[in-house]
Amino acid sequence: MEILAGRVLLRPADPDVTTAFYRDVLGLAVYREFPGGTVFFLGGGFLEVSGHAAEPAAERTGVALWMQVRDIAAAHKELADRGATIVREPRREPWGLEEMWLTDPDGVKIGIVEIPPEHPLRRDTRGE
């Protein structure tokens, strides 16, 4: 099977509030808007906020989002200044990544990650 594109679909309790969060607080660029939803660029993929759910996503699923940034300290300041609910401040994890965690209006966990230059994820592991 060849995958040509993919996206994460969120069905929030309040689509307007959640769309505003991803657009205005996280600052994600809009890829496409359509009646009933918005699709955001998410690095090499997409995040679609559409539809409506009776209960918050955090109560329905174990989904978490992972977003890599170049500078976690700058991202932390920007998100704090925009009023994001930061549940864990940035810190170096035992596996070597700089991570912080926040939640969206439905309680979906969002990991913001910086990969330090010396980390193995920065190395080409394809043998090229």
Side-chain angles (χ1 to χ4, degrees), residues 97-112:
L97 299 178
E98 299 287 339
E99 292 186 15
M100 66 180 270
W101 287 85
L102 56 136
T103 59
D104 82 356
D106 271 344
V108 173
K109 295 176 184 173
I110 302 169
I112 305 296

Side-chain angles (χ1 to χ4, degrees), residues 25-26 29 43 51 57-58 67 70 82 88 92 95-96 104 119:
V25 177
L26 282 188
M67 299 178 189
R70 292 185 194 282
R82 291 180 181 172
R88 208 194 56 172
R92 172 88 39 125
W95 45 89
D104 82 356
H119 195 278

Side-chain angles (χ1 to χ4, degrees), residues 14-126:
D14 188 331
D16 292 336
V17 169
T18 300
T19 298
F21 170 81
Y22 285 99
R23 182 190 60 230
D24 303 333
V25 177
L26 282 188
L28 299 183
V30 173
Y31 168 69
R32 177 175 172 260
E33 294 178 298
F34 58 92
T38 302
V39 180
F40 296 96
F41 284 103
L42 190 61
F46 300 98
L47 173 70
E48 178 179 320
V49 177
S50 62
H52 179 270
E55 58 186 297
E59 295 176 18
R60 291 181 273 118
T61 70
V63 170
L65 302 176
W66 191 90
M67 299 178 189
Q68 181 183 347
V69 298
R70 292 185 194 282
D71 183 339
I72 200 165
H76 177 257
K77 180 179 181 340
E78 185 176 333
L79 292 167
D81 289 349
R82 291 180 181 172
T85 302
I86 298 170
V87 295
R88 208 194 56 172
E89 301 291 317
R91 70 175 181 227
R92 172 88 39 125
E93 295 294 347
W95 45 89
L97 299 178
E98 299 287 339
E99 292 186 15
M100 66 180 270
W101 287 85
L102 56 136
T103 59
D104 82 356
D106 271 344
V108 173
K109 295 176 184 173
I110 302 169
I112 305 296
V113 179
E114 177 185 335
I115 301 172
E118 70 280 1
H119 195 278
L121 286 176
R122 290 276 188 121
R123 294 189 208 119
D124 183 354
T125 58
R126 297 170 294 171

